[in-house]
Amino acid sequence: MTDLVLNENREGIAVLSLNRPEKLNALNYALIDRLLATLDDIEVDDRIRAVILTGAGERAFSAGADIEEFSASVALGAEIALRDFVMRGQRLTARLEAFRKPVIAAVNGLAFGGGCEITEAVPLAIASDRALFAKPEITLAMPPTFGGTQRLPRLAGRKRALELLLTGDWFPSQQALDLGLVNQVVPHDDLMPAAFNLARRILRHSGLAVAGILTAVTRGLNLSIAEGLLVEAEQFARMAPTADLREALDAWISRHRPGHDGSWTHVARPDEARRASSALDHGATSKRPFMLGWKRQK
């Protein structure tokens, strides 16, 4: 049986590919369930620090829900359709939105309906210049159901989102960039290299700090500023006793490169982290400029 979600680990980055290319990677129930289970596995796998989500084949990221399967659920009544289709899709987009490791959508083709809603939900997205987006649910006489009526207005603004939601018209990747739906648009052949480049730029930093920022932003978006500041303070409090923060502060003071321990611990171990960092430096594994203009120890 073909795996509905291909999963490849490349240097600590999980590349997940929605794998129904003959159906334009339409989101049937089995694919959604498989993607949710894969995310559960990745969340507790310390070897994986970031996720790139894309579509198999050359035509689509995902053309949206599997309409034939959804139609069968609707025929059984609203309660069944809500349980099997709406709640399942909303679990997926909520999971992607709140995931504590960075998820980058690499949108390689059509991103219609549920595919567009996945793009809205993930924290980061890069689109091929061939990508096309649409909110076509209205052509089926229904609203979006995986979060599109809520997330798109927050990203694009009420009036611009409503035009797309009420017309069902498709829009190109450059417009998706202008609306804030994606971070970058790149030539098609550069899509995966650009996604890996973004992931690696994030992975230079403490995974715990990355998780804290993702959580603070996701939870704080729909709160008042006062409530959001409490979430921000809470995430700092979680970092305060960690070896990562202690090592980063020591590194800044002594002007050496920090080596992040990466564990939730109340016992800081800067000496161990520093030795690991020194080994990396002497191995000349990276030629990128040292962050914040720090000079490497000689």
Side-chain angles (χ1 to χ4, degrees), residues 247-265:
E247 166 60 14
L249 292 172
D250 288 349
W252 192 93
I253 292 168
S254 60
R255 298 298 191 270
H256 74 269
R257 180 179 179 171
H260 299 296
D261 175 82
S263 60
W264 292 110
T265 175

Side-chain angles (χ1 to χ4, degrees), residues 56-199:
E58 290 296 319
R59 298 174 61 196
F61 175 70
S62 173
D66 187 307
I67 301 302
E68 291 183 3
E69 187 177 51
F70 165 57
S71 178
S73 293
V74 171
L76 296 174
E79 184 176 346
I80 299 299
L82 283 168
R83 183 197 67 194
D84 291 350
F85 177 69
V86 177
M87 301 290 52
R88 182 181 261 109
Q90 289 187 358
R91 279 198 303 275
L92 174 60
T93 52
R95 187 79 168 100
L96 290 165
E97 186 174 49
F99 206 61
R100 282 178 60 83
K101 297 178 181 182
V103 180
I104 302 167
V107 185
N108 57 311
L110 299 178
F112 286 10
C116 192
E117 286 169 306
I118 286 175
T119 309
E120 295 159 16
V122 295
L124 299 161
I126 299 176
S128 158
D129 56 4
R130 299 182 192 172
L132 292 175
F133 299 81
K135 310 295 295 182
E137 291 88 349
I138 196 166
T139 66
L140 298 174
M142 58 179 275
T145 55
F146 292 3
T149 62
Q150 302 305 304
R151 293 189 179 92
L152 187 61
R154 286 166 168 79
L155 288 167
R158 175 172 171 262
K159 286 181 170 60
R160 293 195 294 180
L162 277 170
E163 180 179 350
L164 299 171
L165 291 163
L166 294 174
T167 64
D169 293 344
W170 64 265
F171 54 100
S173 54
Q174 184 58 50
Q175 187 174 350
L177 178 64
D178 296 340
L179 293 171
L181 186 56
V182 301
N183 297 83
Q184 300 176 48
V185 176
V186 298
H188 185 74
D189 291 342
D190 294 338
L191 178 62
M192 293 307 291
F196 273 99
N197 178 60
L198 178 56

